[in-house]
Amino acid sequence: MRTKFFASVLAMPLLVAVFATSAQAPDPVIGKWKTFDDETGKPMSITEVYRTKNGGIAAKVVESLNKPNATCDECSGDKKGKPVAGMLVFWDVVQQDGVWSGGKGFKPSTGDNFKVKTVKASADGKHLEVTGCKLVFCRTGKWERVN
């Protein structure tokens, strides 16, 4: 009886830690975002950022705004002519020192691959900045949260 009591007492901090971790506020980068064309500023797609099984984040296009049923005409290889909806925009992005970074990205409108430098939500949670680099050249896209 005494052993069960002590085992229960020792297990309590572990249970508290598990519940505290699961009760944390959701990450502000998770959700649906409206993306914009770098050159024209016109809305391009609704993209969903989600948590992956390994604890990282990824993003995929859920809706093309500029033309329904858009296909990846600028793509090469196995992505050429495939529907843009469902395509991954970035993946393998992990949190390092409190910042989402690393991973790979793909821009369906141009068919370009890039490395993800950072993914950051604004303080108010209404905007997302995705910075990607190709060689030494980096660009930041600003996305707006979709309610």
Side-chain angles (χ1 to χ4, degrees):
M1 182 77 168
R2 189 175 222 180
T3 305
K4 286 182 182 179
F5 173 76
F6 284 116
S8 297
V9 169
L10 292 174
M12 280 301 209
L14 180 60
L15 288 172
V16 169
V18 167
F19 286 117
T21 301
S22 65
Q24 290 177 354
D27 195 301
V29 302
I30 304 299
K32 290 187 179 178
W33 302 89
K34 185 185 296 184
T35 67
F36 298 89
D37 185 286
D38 295 0
E39 295 164 11
T40 66
K42 291 182 180 180
M44 289 180 56
S45 68
I46 303 298
T47 298
E48 182 177 13
V49 177
Y50 59 93
R51 183 88 57 180
T52 61
K53 290 179 184 177
N54 68 356
I57 57 171
K60 68 178 175 181
V61 176
V62 293
E63 180 184 351
S64 177
L65 297 175
N66 53 3
K67 73 178 182 183
N69 304 318
T71 57
C72 197
D73 300 327
E74 300 297 322
C75 297
S76 61
D78 63 340
K79 293 179 183 170
K80 183 149 186 84
K82 300 286 185 194
V84 171
M87 283 193 170
L88 287 175
V89 177
F90 61 75
W91 58 95
D92 294 337
V93 177
V94 295
Q95 203 164 39
Q96 299 173 4
D97 300 324
V99 177
W100 290 107
S101 62
K104 298 175 185 170
F106 178 71
K107 187 174 178 183
S109 63
T110 62
D112 290 331
N113 292 301
F114 59 91
K115 290 184 179 183
V116 177
K117 184 174 181 184
T118 59
V119 177
K120 294 189 261 185
S122 62
D124 63 6
K126 294 181 181 179
H127 294 92
L128 189 71
E129 290 185 354
V130 179
T131 302
C133 302
K134 196 169 184 179
L135 301 174
V136 295
F137 303 101
C138 299
R139 293 182 88 166
T140 300
K142 285 195 176 188
W143 301 358
E144 287 181 2
R145 184 172 293 280
V146 176
N147 293 332

